[in-house]
Amino acid sequence: MSIGVPNRSSRVRQLIRGPRPEAVPVLIGRACALVGLLDVAAGVFPRFRHSRMHTMAEVLPGALGPFAAALSLSAGVLLLLLAHGLKRSKRRAWRAAVALLPAGAVAQFTYRHSLVGALISLALLVPLLRHRDQFAALPDPRSRWRALANFVLMGAGSLGLGLVIVSAHPKRMVGDPSLADRISHVLYGLFGFEGPVDYQGNTSWTVAFSLGALGLLTAITTVYLAFRPEHPAARLTEEDEVRLRALLDKHGRRDSLGHFALRRDKAVVFSPSGKAAVTYRVVSGVMLASGDPIGDVEAWPGAIERFMDEARAHSWTPAVMGCSETGGEVWTRETGLDALELGDEAVVDVADFSLAGRAMRNVRQMVKRIERAGYETLVRRVRDIGEGELERIRLAAEDWRGTDTERGFSMALGRIGDPTDGDCLIATAHKADAEPGPYGDLKAILHFVPWGPDGASLDLMRRDRSADPGMNELLIVASLQAAPKFDIARVSLNFAMFRAALARGEKIGAGPVLRAWRGLLVFLSRWFQIESLYKFNAKFQPRWEPRFVVYRASGDLPRIGFAAMQAEGFVNLALPLPRFLRRRTSTARACAHSVAERTMADRDVRAA
């Protein structure tokens, strides 16, 4: 489902000021990648160097002789690395390409005496210089972890390409070396040493120089990334948080995701009037906003314009995850972007909720069974819970997470029990007669954030894996029943992706396309909670509020989807601490805290 078809003036405004990459940088980036591929092929494959495509392979440092092969590989790999930055109009990629192409032309003429190759290299330099004003994008946020990632990726790529180089000369190879010998030869060659594989003639020198060039490239790029200045991702400052909380106090009831804008790993842009704001995070070159803008609707266009200006300045791909229908209409009208229905949010009206009736039979029976097993529930504001118990809840939530990383971005706050979040609700399940664990009688946790003065939005659900099934249902029912005591009239539960497709696809009369789409979603539910989350939410008979993803072009959707999965924690490209070490650490902290509490309690009893 698409919404908000932009009008003509919006399209014109988007063409004038939108962050869409210009055609020239994209074409230059593609030409750079093609040149790099041809040059790598010319440096690796001897048959390719002497084929009919020999004249095309003369684009960069040539392919004849040991030095020429090494220079060809080096220039080709560097151009391949620069191509993506050129497509995104990055200024530093432009500077590197401007420096590399003349060097390649000089190498062409010096080593190969190839005037044609030098002219072609300089020909690619001409549009770079002519359109230099279109390469002005600022650098992305980065850290020195990029150096480790570069070392791993470049090392793997050099190893694979090195095996191709070693095996590309079968007629000149002495004997029949095994795969292990070839891998050893590549590893020795990357470090500049001679390996166990021998060749006839000058081929040994060609292979050695090529492998040495790959190893040198890996080392140089890794050292550069390790020692260059860091540009950390923007974070929410204390001043920004104070301003956002003021906007939420006035306009927080408009969007159930509003409080999640207070995540401290997000950045924020404000409208010129300061009456609206858009929070975002940059992930893999995607400027990812979540939910609707915060603040007065009349000031939303100003905040959206600032967001788009920031995206254009860094050549980031703009996207919005989980905005409402109103938010999607404003985004598409003001920017010329498109919107696509992503799923539905389950919202329960407290006044209409009841366990009576046939539709609630399963939930009613499960809750009664859990209560008969001896479980009790407590629903409290964060400010009403003592610091010692809050610490136990934090540790339990971390230990029961079930994944290596914290999941959630658009509908997750990322913290529990912060002093500034006193209005948040925590529902806990306890079983007094159970065998005591590191967290006492605590068995399950639900955390809600405020949704204006009369609403709550579910943040996280955690439970002890050894507890009886049905903990989440028990706590949701307890929270809904206790909501009137806290003047809460509506509760937002989980977000169900592609809910409409799942619901319509299982009905009688659904077409083959819809059934096939539902079958794919059910298949993907083995790894992602798609169908199970929809069915869990449907138990409580909610009303469904559609949520949308806003994007620039259909070709950006795979990239946006991958960035969203990274932000939500489903894809983790970092190297986290092993799970068993974190579990041992958190459990030890919980046990130490529990022992300290019991010691203090005994001391108080003796003193009394």
Side-chain angles (χ1 to χ4, degrees):
M1 174 181 176
S2 297
I3 65 169
V5 178
N7 54 33
R8 182 180 180 85
S9 62
S10 298
R11 288 293 187 188
V12 173
R13 184 164 58 250
Q14 170 65 13
L15 292 175
I16 294 175
R17 70 180 184 184
R20 184 188 299 274
E22 298 292 339
V24 171
V26 172
L27 290 176
I28 291 177
R30 291 174 179 173
C32 186
L34 178 60
V35 167
L37 287 174
L38 288 173
D39 208 54
V40 169
V44 173
F45 302 105
R47 292 183 180 179
F48 182 82
R49 295 200 293 269
H50 300 288
S51 68
R52 295 179 181 178
M53 296 184 66
H54 178 69
T55 54
M56 295 180 61
E58 292 179 348
V59 176
L60 282 175
L64 299 177
F67 294 103
L71 288 173
S72 179
L73 277 175
S74 302
V77 171
L78 288 175
L79 285 175
L80 286 174
L81 294 176
L82 293 174
H84 181 66
L86 290 174
K87 289 180 182 179
R88 297 181 58 202
S89 304
K90 292 297 183 180
R91 186 68 176 178
R92 293 190 175 183
W94 177 86
R95 291 172 180 170
V98 167
L100 180 64
L101 288 173
V106 171
Q108 284 267 13
F109 189 76
T110 302
Y111 286 108
R112 301 187 53 204
H113 307 289
S114 173
L115 182 62
V116 176
L119 291 177
I120 294 177
S121 296
L122 294 176
L124 184 58
L125 182 63
V126 172
L128 277 174
L129 296 175
R130 181 180 178 183
H131 300 283
R132 59 183 177 274
D133 57 329
Q134 297 191 26
F135 296 89
L138 300 175
D140 291 346
R142 60 178 183 242
S143 69
R144 291 189 173 91
W145 284 104
R146 292 284 298 275
L148 178 60
N150 177 83
F151 177 76
V152 173
L153 295 177
M154 284 288 293
S158 298
L159 180 62
L161 189 56
L163 282 174
V164 176
I165 294 172
V166 170
S167 304
H169 308 272
K171 294 183 179 180
R172 292 183 175 269
M173 190 178 295
V174 177
D176 187 16
S178 64
L179 179 61
D181 290 335
R182 299 184 187 191
I183 294 176
S184 299
H185 192 84
V186 172
L187 293 177
Y188 278 110
L190 292 177
F191 288 95
F193 299 103
E194 185 177 354
V197 180
D198 292 328
Y199 298 89
Q200 299 174 358
N202 292 329
T203 304
S204 295
W205 289 102
T206 303
V207 173
F209 276 106
S210 299
L211 294 177
L214 289 176
L216 187 62
L217 274 180
T218 303
I220 291 176
T221 54
T222 301
V223 170
Y224 168 74
L225 293 174
F227 289 98
R228 68 176 179 173
E230 287 190 89
H231 285 259
R235 293 290 186 265
L236 206 64
T237 65
E238 293 184 5
E239 180 183 356
D240 293 337
E241 187 171 342
V242 170
R243 295 177 66 183
L244 285 175
R245 288 185 183 275
L247 293 177
L248 288 172
D249 289 341
K250 294 181 181 179
H251 309 282
R253 66 177 303 163
R254 183 177 298 279
D255 185 14
S256 63
L257 307 187
H259 198 86
F260 299 120
L262 299 176
R263 285 183 64 107
R264 287 163 186 161
D265 58 357
K266 291 183 178 181
V268 61
V269 289
F270 290 91
S271 65
S273 64
K275 295 182 179 180
V278 176
T279 59
Y280 66 91
R281 187 196 298 175
V282 179
V283 183
S284 298
V286 177
M287 192 176 182
L288 201 62
S290 60
D292 292 343
I294 308 299
D296 189 356
V297 176
E298 295 183 357
W300 283 8
I304 291 174
E305 183 177 1
R306 289 281 180 88
F307 177 89
M308 300 298 283
D309 289 342
E310 190 77 6
R312 183 183 67 247
H314 293 82
S315 190
W316 291 331
T317 300
V320 185
M321 297 294 297
C323 65
S324 67
E325 189 168 1
T326 301
E329 290 175 351
V330 176
W331 274 100
T332 54
R333 184 181 68 241
E334 295 297 323
T335 64
L337 303 180
D338 293 323
L340 184 69
E341 185 173 345
L342 185 62
D344 295 88
E345 175 189 9
V347 178
V348 178
D349 295 315
V350 174
D352 299 333
F353 178 76
S354 174
L355 287 177
R358 183 175 181 84
M360 298 297 295
R361 178 182 176 182
N362 291 336
V363 177
R364 182 172 63 249
Q365 290 177 347
M366 180 171 291
V367 170
K368 293 297 183 183
R369 179 176 58 81
I370 294 296
E371 289 177 343
R372 286 195 300 268
Y375 287 91
E376 298 179 353
T377 58
L378 291 174
V379 182
R380 294 162 289 176
R381 297 279 188 188
V382 167
R383 58 173 172 263
D384 298 329
I385 304 176
E387 182 58 34
E389 186 176 0
L390 266 179
E391 181 65 17
R392 273 204 311 272
I393 292 173
R394 293 191 197 101
L395 293 173
E398 179 183 355
D399 194 28
W400 297 341
R401 185 168 56 209
T403 58
D404 291 337
T405 57
E406 186 75 41
R407 287 186 176 177
F409 167 70
S410 55
M411 295 187 69
L413 188 60
R415 60 181 183 267
I416 298 178
D418 192 275
T420 59
D421 299 323
D423 289 337
C424 292
L425 282 177
I426 291 183
T428 54
H430 306 263
K431 190 175 184 181
D433 59 347
E435 183 179 351
Y439 312 110
D441 61 352
L442 184 63
K443 296 300 178 183
I445 304 164
L446 258 62
H447 186 255
F448 296 86
V449 300
W451 175 11
D454 61 345
S457 185
L458 181 61
D459 176 23
L460 61 81
M461 300 186 297
R462 301 281 165 78
R463 69 178 184 88
D464 188 349
R465 300 301 177 185
S466 63
D468 295 335
M471 291 291 101
N472 293 330
E473 289 87 343
L474 172 69
L475 287 181
I476 288 178
V477 170
S479 301
L480 292 171
Q481 292 175 342
K485 181 175 65 175
F486 301 100
D487 298 325
I488 293 176
R490 54 206 172 130
V491 175
S492 170
L493 300 180
N494 293 298
F495 173 73
M497 290 186 62
F498 309 114
R499 196 274 315 176
L502 289 170
R504 292 196 297 263
E506 63 183 357
K507 291 184 178 179
I508 298 177
V513 176
L514 189 56
R515 288 184 180 275
W517 174 228
R518 182 183 179 277
L520 177 61
L521 293 176
V522 172
F523 175 75
L524 294 176
S525 297
R526 299 180 180 181
W527 298 276
F528 307 102
Q529 293 180 347
I530 300 177
E531 185 185 28
S532 60
L533 205 55
Y534 156 59
K535 290 186 175 181
F536 177 84
N537 291 333
K539 292 180 181 180
F540 304 96
Q541 303 300 309
R543 55 183 171 88
W544 299 100
E545 297 289 340
R547 291 280 174 173
F548 298 84
V549 55
V550 177
Y551 60 98
R552 184 176 56 192
S554 300
D556 293 334
L557 285 176
R559 187 179 180 189
I560 293 171
F562 183 73
M565 293 179 68
Q566 286 182 262
E568 297 288 351
F570 291 102
V571 176
N572 184 23
L573 301 182
L575 298 175
L577 189 68
R579 177 70 179 172
F580 70 93
L581 293 178
R582 287 202 310 274
R583 181 180 296 274
R584 183 179 301 174
T585 302
S586 60
T587 304
R589 288 171 56 196
C591 292
H593 186 84
S594 179
V595 170
E597 272 197 337
R598 289 197 298 269
T599 303
M600 293 178 62
D602 294 341
R603 189 177 304 167
D604 292 341
V605 170
R606 288 196 299 269

